Amino acid sequence: MTQDVILVLDCGATNVRVIAIDPQGNVIAKESTLNTSEPDKANPHWHIWSLDAILERLASCCRVIIPELSGYKIRAVTVTTFGVDGTLVNAKGDLLYPIISWKCPRTIPIVENITHYFPAEKLQTISGVGQFNFNTLYKLIWLKENYPTLLNQAHAWLFISSLINHRLTDVMSTDRTMAGTSQLLNIHHDQFSEEILDAISISARLFPELVSAGEQIGNLTSKAARKLNLPSGIPVISSGHDTQFALFGSGADLHQPVLSSGTWEILMVRTPYVNTHILPYYTGSTCELDARKGFFNPGLQWLASGVLEWIRRLFWQDIPPSEAYRQMIHEALSVPPGSNNLRMNCHLLTSRAGWRGTTLNTERRHFYRAALEALGYQLKQNLSLLEKISGFHSKELVLVGGGSRNHLWNQIKADIINMPIKVLNEAETTVLGASFFAWFGAGYYESSEKAREQFSYHYELHIPGEHQKTYDSLAQDFIKEIPL
């Protein structure tokens, strides 16, 4: 009997993947290959993406997994990617300029001088999005300042997901969640901001119609089908920015904060309310549109495992990383809460970053434990800020990402924030989230939530333990060091 699958084309910054998902959220087949940006011929320090190379990587993945799906019917295809990147195209969809990568430093001077166009605080109040040099806004200003004739020639600006979708369907569109990363939207009105666009002399006509996650963009053309080794006519359903679909795919309900723990930690929540007026006062703050209309994803980010990696290289440099982290955790377990009064100020974006309390008895294990604790207090502070930004009260925290594999760090976090932490035992949250909307868009389920209900989530639970009161008594010592 033929079974149904959704095909998710997942274009990440380091890997391109194609994954087939069944109606219960199970991975049936998957294939990945490395993805990389390229140096710009105009400047070796600049970074661009090759759309043709990305499409060929997706096609090669498709060609590998299609033979594994002989007993399955592909009900729909959906594309999810990193945000902000895109380029100007003509009426045929041909690129007028290479896709500037989010890694590219060429827009840094634009950010530093953005007040020539628009007040920086007002910009975030309207758009929600923080002042990150990779934002779409700054790419458009850079193109306008350096290649002004291109704006006159351009038929549209397409985000990278829409560039891929256009190659699949010949239809130009704008994934709503991608637009939400651009710093060009009035996030509260859910549309491109005339005020921002007027300030940079860009017409809203440059952007094709917004499509929401789960809406059908078009059907797979015969040309694209041949390239991907797929049947033509398959519906192509909108998804978009990977962060939003990872959040939905994590199983998070409204007002249930999710912490993605990696080199940076990103704390986000799904909420119907956000006070964007206070966002500009907090470093690392941002707000994007949720995968579902009517909701927002405010968040805060800070350097996390990057600090721990620095400590590893400093004290455990002669040991392979995987073994080193096992030793680090083992040694830190012997250090009592408070790390013998060693303190790390982990607000590394200020000149106040550093250590205090070192003595002749301080060992490497104390540095590691102190860093874990300081990052725990950073989480506590930022969780309070997120509650203030969106007017909710947390009852538990969902934890995903590579940092969630550190059991000691998980327990320290639970003790410091004094609430349960649920560690999700599922790596494919982005692909899952995109598939839920694709199943809805394909008419298989009446909503993306109904699709999500079919998946069986499994969590590892960390509850506040015996050290919670100790950490609570130390909290003021840390929180006063974190600028508000």
Side-chain angles (χ1 to χ4, degrees):
M1 186 176 78
T2 301
Q3 295 176 280
D4 294 330
V5 292
I6 290 289
L7 219 55
V8 180
L9 310 188
D10 179 26
C11 176
T14 55
N15 290 283
V16 162
R17 307 184 304 161
V18 176
I19 302 183
I21 307 280
D22 75 6
Q24 287 71 48
N26 300 308
V27 173
I28 302 302
K30 65 179 177 178
E31 179 64 18
S32 68
T33 189
L34 293 177
N35 195 23
T36 183
S37 59
E38 301 175 0
D40 193 331
K41 293 177 181 178
N43 185 324
H45 300 292
W46 292 352
H47 297 268
I48 60 173
W49 297 104
S50 167
L51 179 61
D52 288 337
I54 287 172
L55 290 164
E56 182 52 45
R57 289 164 190 148
L58 288 168
S60 68
C61 290
C62 279
R63 290 192 290 266
V64 170
I65 72 167
I66 293 308
E68 302 176 40
L69 301 176
S70 59
Y72 293 85
K73 179 181 179 181
I74 300 171
R75 289 289 299 266
V77 173
T78 192
V79 176
T80 180
T81 68
F82 45 84
V84 306
D85 294 353
T87 194
L88 300 168
V89 300
N90 63 20
K92 295 181 180 179
D94 300 324
L95 276 58
L96 299 181
Y97 193 85
I99 304 167
I100 301 172
S101 169
W102 57 268
K103 305 174 188 178
C104 188
R106 77 182 77 188
T107 52
I108 291 174
I110 305 294
V111 183
E112 293 172 345
N113 296 290
I114 190 60
T115 52
H116 292 169
Y117 291 94
F118 209 84
E121 291 183 2
K122 188 176 181 182
L123 191 58
Q124 188 171 13
T125 298
I126 294 171
S127 69
V129 177
Q131 300 291 102
F132 307 118
N133 72 280
F134 47 68
N135 292 347
T136 314
L137 169 67
Y138 310 124
K139 294 183 174 74
L140 278 169
I141 293 174
W142 186 90
L143 287 168
K144 190 171 185 64
E145 291 182 352
N146 292 273
Y147 296 90
T149 59
L150 290 184
L151 272 299
N152 297 326
Q153 299 170 26
H155 176 76
W157 167 279
L158 295 183
F159 293 96
I160 192 164
S161 63
S162 296
L163 288 165
I164 297 172
N165 284 327
H166 179 258
R167 292 292 183 92
L168 298 181
T169 64
D170 282 341
V171 177
M172 292 189 186
S173 61
T174 301
D175 285 324
R176 179 178 160 276
T177 57
M178 296 294 286
T181 71
S182 67
Q183 210 172 18
L184 295 165
L185 255 61
N186 182 316
I187 195 167
H188 294 288
H189 295 168
D190 208 349
Q191 62 187 21
F192 286 97
S193 167
E194 291 185 8
E195 192 172 1
I196 295 173
L197 294 180
D198 286 347
I200 61 173
S201 301
I202 297 288
S203 171
R205 291 193 299 273
L206 194 64
F207 305 97
E209 183 181 0
L210 286 170
V211 292
S212 296
E215 290 186 22
Q216 183 171 337
I217 295 169
N219 297 95
L220 196 65
T221 66
S222 56
K223 180 180 178 180
R226 285 194 300 271
K227 186 174 182 65
L228 299 176
N229 195 27
L230 295 173
S232 62
I234 296 174
V236 176
I237 307 298
S238 174
S239 51
H241 187 217
D242 49 16
T243 298
Q244 272 59 60
F245 297 94
L247 194 55
F248 190 81
S250 72
D253 292 323
L254 295 181
H255 294 158
Q256 185 174 45
V258 176
L259 179 67
S260 177
S261 181
T263 301
W264 289 77
E265 288 195 321
I266 305 172
L267 179 67
M268 301 191 85
V269 70
R270 303 182 62 230
T271 175
Y273 168 78
V274 60
N275 183 353
T276 58
H277 292 277
I278 65 176
L279 287 177
Y281 299 102
Y282 301 114
T283 302
S285 69
T286 195
C287 184
E288 298 168 355
L289 292 174
D290 187 66
R292 274 199 57 202
K293 289 192 72 170
F295 299 105
F296 307 97
N297 296 157
L300 296 142
Q301 64 182 49
W302 61 96
L303 192 61
S305 292
V307 179
L308 307 181
E309 180 61 13
W310 172 77
I311 293 172
R312 180 194 69 78
R313 292 195 305 268
L314 190 65
F315 294 114
W316 284 269
Q317 59 182 327
D318 298 326
I319 306 172
S322 58
E323 175 58 31
Y325 276 106
R326 282 193 289 269
Q327 286 193 27
M328 292 162 72
I329 293 170
H330 176 74
E331 292 180 30
L333 282 167
S334 65
V335 179
S339 305
N340 289 8
N341 296 317
L342 181 64
R343 298 286 185 270
M344 184 189 84
N345 177 3
C346 63
H347 200 80
L348 300 178
L349 299 179
T350 77
S351 60
R352 301 173 63 193
W355 302 81
R356 64 177 174 83
T358 56
T359 70
L360 294 177
N361 295 318
T362 303
E363 301 174 12
R364 65 183 187 179
R365 60 191 178 124
H366 297 105
F367 280 97
Y368 183 56
R369 177 93 188 202
L372 294 177
E373 293 176 344
L375 290 168
Y377 285 110
Q378 182 82 62
L379 169 62
K380 181 182 179 72
Q381 180 70 40
N382 285 340
L383 187 57
S384 295
L385 292 179
L386 190 63
E387 291 176 336
K388 179 180 179 181
I389 289 166
S390 290
F392 73 100
H393 180 69
S394 307
K395 295 181 179 179
E396 62 183 13
L397 177 70
V398 175
L399 184 57
V400 300
S404 67
R405 295 193 291 270
N406 188 325
H407 290 262
L408 172 60
W409 196 11
N410 294 345
Q411 187 58 52
I412 288 173
K413 286 173 177 173
D415 290 340
I416 287 177
I417 67 174
N418 192 22
M419 69 178 63
I421 288 180
K422 294 163 61 176
V423 180
L424 179 62
N425 296 326
E426 174 56 53
E428 301 292 357
T429 53
T430 296
V431 171
L432 266 179
S435 75
F436 296 148
F437 282 89
W439 282 118
F440 160 59
Y444 208 91
Y445 295 111
E446 63 186 49
S447 69
S448 53
E449 282 81 3
K450 286 293 182 183
R452 189 171 65 170
E453 288 173 6
Q454 311 310 309
F455 183 73
S456 180
Y457 284 94
H458 299 282
Y459 300 93
E460 177 184 287
L461 185 64
H462 294 264
I463 60 174
E466 59 181 312
H467 301 311
Q468 185 273 318
K469 291 185 178 179
T470 301
Y471 283 124
D472 193 49
S473 67
L474 295 170
Q476 193 58 40
D477 194 27
F478 281 88
I479 290 175
K480 70 183 180 183
E481 295 182 356
I482 300 173
L484 291 177

